[in-house]
């Protein structure tokens, strides 16, 4: 459920990524890619997607279920989750779709989700950290974290740690952390909670998506010997609730948003790790994401915040 930055700052974002990466070209390219998408049957493979009762997460879950995979759906609202499970099962005739309810804005909620998944599953082949929020008004969680940071950054960091054993047990395991082309090229490590740089939600969101990419790069290095492929992506400019709330930009229909599904399933990514994909193309990362020292400093901050050490 990603969106793009305000038109006045969009060119700055694009300049650190790809010169040709305009909304218009992105939409047409994505539609072209989607028109040729074919399901590869994936019976026996287990996929977990956070934030999958709506938007891109739900669409990805539906595609995976069509392909015969076992799909672990996550959401916050039980009734919405049950409705989505029923819809997917009815549409795909795949009964290997399971629901997990938890609030990822709290550390306890993240731990609960991991515990519930471990009780249910013996392995995970692909973990897709898709859940994300954009909030115009700054707020803090019960843990004292800025909410965007809590859901978009702390949650994938802690959840991945807690589910590492299941990924190790997976077959050709993959880990995907959803980023965005909405990133910042300037990180104040003393203000990761956006006390001063919130900017009606845009500053906090851009920061969170930059750290998500940095996190994926660090995890790629750390997990390489274990054979876990770690990549990040911008899922596309898609007509989601988040896009509508955060930006006045057109997007492709949700049912055409196949970038996450392709990165999670295509065999050509079996041995690809440490990459950032935009429109299914490995893309140059920004200078701030290349800063290894800064990445490691942020990593240490995340370990302190979540109470875990990789």
């Amino acid at each position: 459920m990603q969106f793009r930055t305000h038109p006045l700052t969009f060119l700055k974002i694009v300049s650190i990524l790809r010169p040709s990466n305009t909304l218009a070209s992105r939409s047409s390219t994505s539609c072209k890619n989607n028109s040729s998408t074919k399901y590869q049957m994936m019976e026996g493979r287990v996929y977990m997607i956070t934030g999958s009762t709506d938007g891109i997460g739900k669409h990805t879950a539906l595609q995976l279920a069509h392909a015969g995979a076992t799909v672990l759906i996550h959401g916050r609202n039980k009734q919405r989750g049950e409705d989505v499970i029923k819809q997917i099962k009815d549409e795909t005739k795949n009964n290997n779709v399971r629901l997990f309810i938890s609030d990822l804005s709290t550390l306890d909620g993240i731990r609960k989700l991991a515990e519930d998944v471990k009780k249910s599953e013996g392995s995970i082949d692909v973990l897709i950290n898709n859940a994300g929020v954009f909030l115009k008004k700054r707020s803090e969680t019960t843990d004292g974290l800025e909410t965007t940071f809590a859901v978009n950054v702390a949650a994938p960091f802690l959840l991945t740690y807690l589910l590492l054993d299941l990924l190790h047990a997976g077959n050709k395991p993959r880990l995907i952390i959803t980023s965005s082309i909405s990133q910042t090229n300037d990180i104040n490590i003393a203000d990761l909670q956006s006390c001063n740089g919130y900017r009606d939600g845009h500053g906090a969101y851009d920061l969170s998506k930059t750290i998500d990419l940095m996190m994926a790069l660090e995890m790629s290095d750390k997990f390489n010997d274990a054979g876990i492929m770690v990549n990040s992506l911008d899922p596309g400019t898609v007509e989601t609730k988040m896009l509508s709330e955060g930006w006045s930009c057109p997007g492709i229909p949700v049912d055409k948003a196949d970038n996450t599904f392709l990165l999670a399933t295509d065999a050509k990514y079996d041995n690809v790790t440490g990459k950032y994909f935009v429109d299914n193309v490995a893309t140059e990362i920004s200078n701030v994401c290349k800063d290894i020292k800064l990445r490691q400093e942020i990593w240490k901050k995340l370990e302190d915040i979540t109470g875990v050490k990789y």
Side-chain angles (χ1 to χ4, degrees):
M1 298 181 288
Q2 308 301 312
F3 55 90
R4 303 300 171 272
T5 193
H6 191 280
L8 293 179
T9 57
F10 180 74
L11 292 178
K12 178 182 178 182
I13 298 296
V14 172
S15 69
I16 66 172
L17 294 167
R18 288 200 305 166
S20 62
N21 192 22
T22 64
L23 286 173
S25 64
R26 298 260 338 249
S27 297
S28 62
T29 301
S30 297
C31 290
K32 184 187 298 183
N33 289 338
N34 286 310
S35 66
S36 60
T37 297
K38 294 184 183 300
Y39 295 128
Q40 302 175 42
M41 297 313 293
M42 289 171 282
E43 291 93 341
R45 286 186 68 73
V46 180
Y47 292 77
M48 178 174 178
I49 316 168
T50 62
S52 45
T53 59
D54 197 9
I56 298 169
K58 177 183 174 183
H59 173 63
T60 303
L62 183 62
Q63 290 179 297
L64 290 167
H66 269 299
T70 295
V71 188
L72 312 183
I73 303 284
H74 159 261
R76 289 181 300 172
N77 182 285
K78 184 178 180 180
Q79 185 59 60
R80 175 189 290 274
E82 290 175 347
D83 291 344
V84 169
I85 290 288
K86 183 179 185 305
Q87 176 190 345
I88 291 177
K89 287 183 176 180
D90 288 348
E91 183 172 331
T92 67
K93 311 305 178 186
N94 182 347
N95 288 320
N96 293 317
V97 184
R98 296 189 270 280
L99 176 64
F100 298 88
I101 299 297
S102 189
D103 181 0
L104 296 187
S105 70
T106 70
L107 299 179
D108 283 344
I110 300 164
R111 296 187 188 101
K112 176 186 180 298
L113 175 59
E115 289 172 3
D116 290 346
V117 172
K118 285 184 171 182
K119 289 176 183 176
S120 172
E121 311 300 324
S123 65
I124 294 175
D125 299 304
V126 182
L127 171 59
I128 304 173
N129 284 296
N130 167 77
V133 297
F134 166 79
L135 302 169
K136 290 185 177 180
K137 184 177 180 180
R138 188 183 183 280
S139 63
E140 293 188 357
T141 69
T142 55
D143 300 302
L145 301 176
E146 187 275 311
T147 306
T148 308
F149 181 92
V151 176
N152 296 9
V153 179
F157 185 86
L158 179 55
L159 183 64
T160 298
Y161 173 85
L162 295 172
L163 295 179
L164 264 183
D165 288 348
L166 297 190
L167 276 173
H168 280 300
N171 177 27
K172 296 181 179 179
R174 300 184 190 185
L175 170 63
I176 296 173
I177 298 179
T178 303
S179 182
S180 170
I181 63 167
S182 293
Q183 297 180 20
T184 180
N185 204 32
D186 182 22
I187 293 180
N188 179 1
I189 197 166
D191 190 30
L192 296 183
Q193 303 307 314
S194 299
C195 295
N196 299 314
Y198 198 75
R199 291 195 296 110
D200 295 326
H202 298 290
Y205 184 84
D206 293 356
L207 173 65
S208 74
K209 289 298 145 183
T210 308
I211 296 177
D212 281 340
L213 176 51
M214 299 170 85
M215 185 195 312
L217 295 171
E218 286 297 297
M219 288 182 177
S220 173
D221 289 341
K222 292 179 181 296
F223 303 162
N224 189 53
D225 289 344
I228 300 174
M229 302 294 103
V230 186
N231 292 292
S232 185
L233 84 160
D234 171 272
T237 305
V238 184
E239 290 286 358
T240 62
K241 294 177 182 177
M242 186 181 287
L243 179 69
S244 176
E245 182 176 354
W247 278 268
S248 300
C249 296
I252 63 171
V254 172
D255 63 5
K256 300 295 184 182
D258 293 344
N259 292 350
T260 301
F261 173 76
L262 292 172
L263 185 57
T265 60
D266 198 309
K268 71 181 181 181
Y269 301 121
D270 279 350
N271 298 302
V272 175
T273 192
K275 301 297 183 182
Y276 168 56
F277 292 91
V278 178
D279 290 333
N280 305 312
V281 176
T283 301
E284 184 77 9
I285 61 175
S286 64
N287 289 331
V288 71
C289 290
K290 293 177 182 177
D291 189 333
I292 296 175
K293 181 181 178 182
L294 180 59
R295 292 200 322 238
Q296 293 174 344
E297 288 177 353
I298 292 175
W299 185 273
K300 180 61 168 60
K301 291 276 190 182
L302 288 170
E303 288 185 331
D304 292 341
I305 288 169
T306 59
V308 301
K309 187 175 180 61
Y310 276 80

